[in-house]
Amino acid sequence: MFRMLHLPAAKPSRYGLVYLFLAAALPVLALFNTKAIVPLTIVAALALFVIAARDGKLDVIKRLDRFLWLGLAGYLSIFLVSSILGDTWITGAVSLGKLLGLTLIAIIVIPLQARLSATDLKWIACALIGAILFALCWVAIYILHDIALYTGSAHSAAMIEDHLNRISYYGYFWFKPAATVTLILSLIAGIYLHRTGHRVAAILLAVCSAGLCYWVGNRTAFYGSMLAMGVGVFYHFMGRHRLKLIVFILAIAFAIPPVMNLLGFSPGHISSHLSKASPGSNSIVYRLHIWEFVADKITEKPLLGWGAGASKRLGTDAVDTLTDPKFGTLGEPIPVHPHNGILQVWLEFGFFGALFVFILIARGMAIADRYLTEPWQRIWVSASATLLACFFGFSFSISSSWWLATVIVCIAIAAAFVAIQSQSPAPTTPEESAPR
């Protein structure tokens, strides 16, 4: 692992420096302030745009697939129309501005990774792995210190018991974003490590990151990591029909929200089989009831939805309070967001919004599959994609700026690592050839 952190003799290009700082900053910023990730990606995108413009390399950005353009244009249009018709145009305008900004970041940061050389990728991989190890050590030291502090004689037995009960129930929840970012980046680092022959290091890094998630109480990340690696291996062995099967499964997932109630979905039936003593059971039951509430709202406006940010006003305490026959009072119907990306798309933008998002994701999967020519590529990339799906399915909102910015950077770095075998360490401009 540490041999992998040996820096190359040649210095990175200007493109490499920007992506290097992005890779090094993500795990560290997630430890302390996730909101700082957004301005970081904005500055990085502007820097890349200026560098590419000076080099006359903006043609890379213009090559975006026409189906992706269709999906983006359609989604942005429905975003605006739904917000106006849903009487959420004020908050919708703010959300639309954020979405446009993130879209611009994506169409700069993701395509320009093609300008990276093999030397740049070596620097980026070293920075990424170093930042992941820093995050792992930081959280581990914090937790060990916390355990030592509360098991010492300085605190009363009642205080120690209360603290340990709280930790066992909620975990170290302030570290959950950092654990999430660290885990997804460890899988992306696995693409590079496997490609360069460090297979054991790749697996070890992923296992340590998953273990960190379990330690801080991030159950979605921990169990999602096991599912992700299983899906990664399964995706490779599906053979030449793998893409068709995955897109079909995705289509089924997008078709479920408007017919959930017709399918007999009932949170009470599931909660009756869960134990109240299990720390994760309450969270699972709460989500199930949230999804039932959202499914009911989707059937009221199935075509264009309720507008951007509608979940914040539809599911407040003033509207109702969710209760379960076994678990009792749970909370407001939608706490900030529905905790499921597909349900949120349907709720806010209806059928047409879901259709364009489906086009975007399906086309992105088709483009990615085209470049995944090696087994190790398919396994690590599909595992990373599955883990992202788990986070969107259970944890994060589709309108969370810091999370979407993180996903954009992750896609860019993963795409660069996949294409490493076709990239040359040779400088791309005379300016980069000059001695430094």
Side-chain angles (χ1 to χ4, degrees):
M1 178 75 71
F2 293 100
R3 185 164 57 92
M4 179 63 225
L5 298 178
H6 179 69
L7 299 176
K11 294 184 178 180
S13 69
R14 291 169 298 166
Y15 298 97
L17 281 172
V18 176
Y19 285 98
L20 182 155
F21 284 116
L22 280 174
L26 279 184
V28 178
L29 289 179
L31 282 171
F32 306 106
N33 188 356
T34 55
K35 292 182 179 179
I37 292 175
V38 178
L40 173 72
T41 53
I42 292 174
V43 172
L46 289 173
L48 288 170
F49 183 84
V50 171
I51 294 170
R54 290 182 59 186
D55 292 346
K57 302 297 182 182
L58 289 177
D59 59 311
V60 176
I61 298 175
K62 300 176 184 177
R63 297 175 190 168
L64 190 65
D65 181 85
R66 65 178 182 273
F67 288 102
L68 292 179
W69 278 120
L70 171 65
L72 279 172
Y75 180 56
L76 290 172
S77 300
I78 297 300
F79 194 105
L80 182 60
V81 172
S82 297
S83 299
I84 294 174
L85 296 179
D87 198 26
T88 60
W89 63 272
I90 297 179
T91 57
V94 175
S95 298
L96 181 62
K98 290 167 56 178
L99 181 61
L100 283 171
L102 289 166
T103 300
L104 290 174
I105 290 173
I107 62 178
I108 293 172
V109 173
I110 296 176
L112 284 177
Q113 55 79 24
R115 304 305 307 164
L116 296 171
S117 68
T119 298
D120 291 332
L121 294 178
K122 174 74 172 179
W123 278 94
I124 294 169
C126 290
L128 179 61
I129 295 169
I132 291 172
L133 293 175
F134 173 84
L136 291 174
C137 292
W138 182 279
V139 177
I141 292 172
Y142 179 96
I143 295 176
L144 290 173
H145 175 265
D146 182 75
I147 293 173
L149 186 65
Y150 276 90
T151 54
S153 57
H155 297 85
S156 64
M159 183 179 294
I160 294 173
E161 183 180 1
D162 178 69
H163 176 74
L164 294 179
N165 286 337
R166 182 169 57 87
I167 292 300
S168 65
Y169 194 80
Y170 295 106
Y172 295 87
F173 59 89
W174 53 92
F175 280 135
K176 289 185 179 181
T180 296
V181 174
T182 301
L183 179 58
I184 186 63
L185 287 175
S186 70
L187 295 184
I188 292 172
I191 303 171
Y192 187 91
L193 288 169
H194 200 118
R195 171 65 180 85
T196 53
H198 300 84
R199 298 174 180 82
V200 175
I203 296 172
L204 183 61
L205 190 65
V207 169
C208 289
S209 297
L212 177 74
C213 291
Y214 181 82
W215 210 5
V216 302
N218 193 336
R219 301 177 188 90
T220 300
F222 176 70
Y223 294 112
S225 66
M226 294 189 288
L227 174 65
M229 293 309 298
V231 170
V233 174
F234 178 69
Y235 182 77
H236 166 63
F237 285 105
M238 279 192 291
R240 60 191 180 92
H241 297 295
R242 61 176 65 90
L243 179 61
K244 295 178 182 178
L245 180 58
I246 291 297
V247 172
F248 176 75
I249 294 173
L250 180 68
I252 294 297
F254 267 84
I256 288 177
V259 295
M260 280 178 61
N261 294 336
L262 295 177
L263 295 174
F265 175 76
S266 174
H269 292 163
I270 300 174
S271 65
S272 63
H273 299 287
L274 298 177
S275 171
K276 294 180 67 174
S278 175
S281 295
N282 189 78
S283 178
I284 293 172
V285 173
Y286 193 8
R287 277 170 169 77
L288 293 175
H289 282 275
I290 293 170
W291 297 344
E292 182 184 44
F293 177 85
V294 171
D296 289 337
K297 289 297 179 181
I298 289 172
T299 58
E300 295 180 27
K301 291 189 176 182
L303 295 181
L304 291 173
W306 294 82
S311 56
K312 294 182 180 180
R313 65 182 177 85
L314 290 174
T316 62
D317 283 328
V319 175
D320 197 4
T321 300
L322 296 178
T323 58
D324 181 81
K326 183 175 181 178
F327 285 75
T329 302
L330 299 170
E332 56 188 348
I334 306 178
V336 183
H337 61 90
H339 290 76
N340 182 280
I342 296 178
L343 282 172
Q344 187 174 357
V345 170
W346 270 94
L347 177 70
E348 298 187 2
F349 310 115
F351 166 78
F352 292 105
L355 176 63
F356 286 114
V357 171
F358 171 77
I359 291 173
L360 270 173
I361 298 175
R363 187 57 180 173
M365 291 168 59
I367 293 172
D369 187 74
R370 186 189 310 163
Y371 291 95
L372 301 178
T373 57
E374 300 292 336
W376 57 269
Q377 291 177 333
R378 296 192 193 100
I379 292 172
W380 286 105
V381 172
S382 55
S384 302
T386 301
L387 189 58
L388 286 176
C390 288
F391 292 135
F392 276 113
F394 296 95
S395 298
F396 297 117
S397 168
I398 62 168
S399 56
S400 175
S401 298
W402 79 266
W403 173 240
L404 292 177
T406 299
V407 172
I408 289 169
V409 176
C410 288
I411 292 174
I413 296 175
F417 286 168
V418 166
I420 182 176
Q421 64 268 27
S422 62
Q423 295 176 347
S424 168
T428 56
T429 66
E431 187 177 349
E432 291 170 9
S433 302
R436 295 174 183 264

